[in-house]
Amino acid sequence: MLGAQSPFRRPRREAWPEPVEEPPGAGLEDASGQETATATTSSSSMAQLRGAAPPDGDPGSQSGQEEPLLRGIFQIGKRSCDVVLSARQLRWSPIEPESRGGFPNRPKSLKVFVNPNSHKREATHVYYEQVAPLFKLADIKTDVTVTEYEGHALSLLQECDLHTFDGVVCIGGDGSTSEVAHGLLLRAQLDAGRDTDYILSPVRAPLPLGIIPAGSTNVLAYTLHGIKHVVTATLHIIMGHIQPVDICTFSSPSKFLRFGFSAMFGFGARTLALAEKHRWMPSNQRRDFAVIRTLASLKPEECELSFLPLKNSLQDSQETVRKKKERPKKSDNKVQWHTIQGHFLNVSIMAIPCLCSMAPRGLAPNTRLNNGSMALIVVRNTSRTEFIKHLKRYASVKNQFNFPFVETYAVQEVKVQPRNKIGYDTEENVYLQATFTEGNYPWNIDGDLMEGASEVHVRVHRQLINLYGGSIDELDDSKVMCSCL
């Protein structure tokens, strides 16, 4: 920290690392019109926040300028300024309320949903103490709704006037984010006059969605921002950094069910279903309890999986083994499908990489945000010990799919159809007849529990929604600490 005197009033701090004060001589304009000051800072302060890359036209992006170490928005005098700290200089420039070609996606008005029950009931505090002041400094108007019940945001999105907003922001966990994303896309279908009972080719969401991490799980926030950092997520929204993202539709044979980014059937869904029955427990304890109890009673699901693969999409080294297990299946329009049957401990279907504290590389590390494909990850029946080894691999740098009972595919569509057996046991030499079940099975959709029908059809739709965030390619080197099984 610098103790030099400043020629003007010290910038007001709002939820940021300690700002660097300007030394004597600060406030001089350079040839580009920016004010500059010579400065130094400690490495610990630098590590707290990595600034976003300078936008096109920003002097910090021109040749001859040093790479920024820290970046933030501060109020200097009565103006909001973009402040950039390099190794030898502190630079700032006023933020104009109107877009001047450099930020065509920069929002001026946002609809904000806050889930007060997220993050140990601290989400409201997170928003008003850390996020709202930054929006105010950036001259962004907000309309805030603190949700009162599950489905509140979904219902409001069906009736509110979205034309007055440039984007929608959600402060909460994965469940809250999934609800808002589903509501945005459902609203788009209604506005387009589509039948929401059967959605084959949905239209895009009308507004981008911003995600402020404030929940027990924040897969989407980790994936978009690299770390669970409120300030980083807020900066992406303020600067208008937008990423088009793929999303899936989930349907039964008779009707559309919902939109979602990822899904689990089997172990991941049964764990969530058990955790939801113990909402009175603290979130971390509830999660650990549900995982241990589900592992103790680990059992596979017998089902049939049909999927439409991408061309050249068989991914792992067990391709030859899997081909022997697959049997081709043609749909009505002559598209080649593949079908596998058996007992599965877990089935994951993911349109995004799903980075999280328990899986720094992602639950589906080979997937990208918007390449028009889903990762289908199938874990066949195995011993409890081997399954736990597979789970532990998610927390390490080792390949979590390098097991003989794990299969991965890149697909466009998936149909999951559970099966039940009736009759006597085969050991008694009595014929068993397999039938498709008519009951409901639990599904984990983006951390939300959904009771699925006897058959669920999942389709991926390319770049159907815009999310505020950085490119996934920029996050490959991000380091996230985790603690799990």
Side-chain angles (χ1 to χ4, degrees), residues 347-359:
V347 177
S348 298
I349 305 168
M350 299 182 174
I352 62 175
C354 294
L355 279 68
C356 65
S357 60
M358 295 175 289

Side-chain angles (χ1 to χ4, degrees), residues 236-384:
H236 279 307
I237 297 171
I238 291 173
M239 306 302 279
H241 297 162
I242 286 179
Q243 281 290 310
V245 178
D246 300 342
I247 198 168
C248 306
T249 53
F250 296 82
S251 307
S252 71
S254 59
K255 66 175 183 177
F256 167 77
L257 299 174
R258 63 168 297 161
F259 292 95
F261 297 95
S262 64
M264 289 186 184
F265 176 80
F267 176 80
R270 292 191 178 277
T271 299
L272 178 62
L274 182 59
E276 289 296 308
K277 295 179 181 179
H278 297 79
R279 296 290 298 180
W280 54 270
M281 299 176 65
S283 58
N284 288 339
Q285 294 181 19
R286 181 172 69 245
R287 182 193 64 194
D288 294 342
F289 167 79
V291 169
I292 293 172
R293 281 287 301 272
T294 308
L295 281 174
S297 58
L298 186 64
K299 63 178 182 179
E301 302 285 358
E302 184 179 6
C303 61
E304 177 179 291
L305 304 177
S306 302
F307 58 92
L308 182 63
L310 293 177
K311 294 181 179 180
N312 304 319
S313 66
L314 296 180
Q315 296 175 344
D316 63 20
S317 59
Q318 282 97 25
E319 178 177 352
T320 304
V321 175
R322 290 202 308 274
K323 282 184 175 180
K324 294 180 181 179
K325 298 176 182 178
E326 299 168 6
R327 59 181 176 85
K329 177 181 179 180
K330 291 187 177 181
S331 64
D332 296 336
N333 59 359
K334 308 300 182 182
V335 177
Q336 187 74 22
W337 284 68
H338 294 264
T339 299
I340 56 177
Q341 296 179 352
H343 293 79
F344 307 106
L345 291 176
N346 192 70
V347 177
S348 298
I349 305 168
M350 299 182 174
I352 62 175
C354 294
L355 279 68
C356 65
S357 60
M358 295 175 289
R361 295 178 61 247
L363 299 176
N366 295 328
T367 309
R368 286 296 179 263
L369 292 174
N370 48 27
N371 64 354
S373 72
M374 301 180 291
L376 172 60
I377 304 166
V378 178
V379 182
R380 291 184 178 269
N381 192 23
T382 187
S383 67
R384 183 180 292 107

Side-chain angles (χ1 to χ4, degrees), residues 157-162 183-191:
L157 283 169
Q158 307 312 304
E159 52 192 46
C160 70
D161 184 9
L162 294 179
L184 270 175
L185 284 162
L186 199 60
R187 172 65 180 270
Q189 313 316 308
L190 293 172
D191 289 347

Side-chain angles (χ1 to χ4, degrees), residues 403-472:
F403 292 92
F405 53 86
V406 179
E407 303 168 14
T408 62
Y409 308 87
V411 301
Q412 304 174 62
E413 298 183 39
V414 181
K415 293 179 181 179
V416 180
Q417 196 164 19
R419 302 171 65 95
N420 272 345
K421 288 187 175 181
I422 59 175
Y424 296 98
D425 192 271
T426 53
E427 294 182 357
E428 299 185 14
N429 297 322
V430 177
Y431 175 74
L432 292 176
Q433 180 182 1
T435 61
F436 291 107
T437 61
E438 299 297 332
N440 290 340
Y441 280 74
W443 280 77
N444 182 340
I445 310 291
D446 297 332
D448 265 353
L449 184 64
M450 182 188 79
E451 295 292 330
S454 58
E455 178 182 326
V456 174
H457 189 175
V458 187
R459 296 184 179 92
V460 66
H461 302 276
R462 188 167 189 174
Q463 302 182 11
L464 201 60
I465 187 171
N466 285 336
L467 301 184
Y468 289 109
S471 170
I472 186 64

Side-chain angles (χ1 to χ4, degrees), residues 3-76:
Q5 297 295 320
S6 172
F8 51 81
R9 183 164 60 91
R10 179 179 176 177
R12 188 177 68 188
R13 179 163 63 97
E14 299 288 354
W16 290 87
E18 185 68 16
V20 179
E21 298 183 13
E22 297 75 27
L28 300 177
E29 283 196 359
D30 62 10
S32 65
Q34 281 201 332
E35 294 181 281
T36 64
T38 304
T40 60
T41 188
S42 65
S43 59
S44 60
S45 297
M46 297 176 188
Q48 292 185 47
L49 176 65
R50 289 293 178 185
D56 293 339
D58 190 304
S61 64
Q62 297 173 0
S63 59
Q65 300 293 343
E66 296 181 352
E67 180 181 357
L69 300 174
L70 300 176
R71 187 170 191 172
I73 297 174
F74 289 82
Q75 182 171 316
I76 301 177

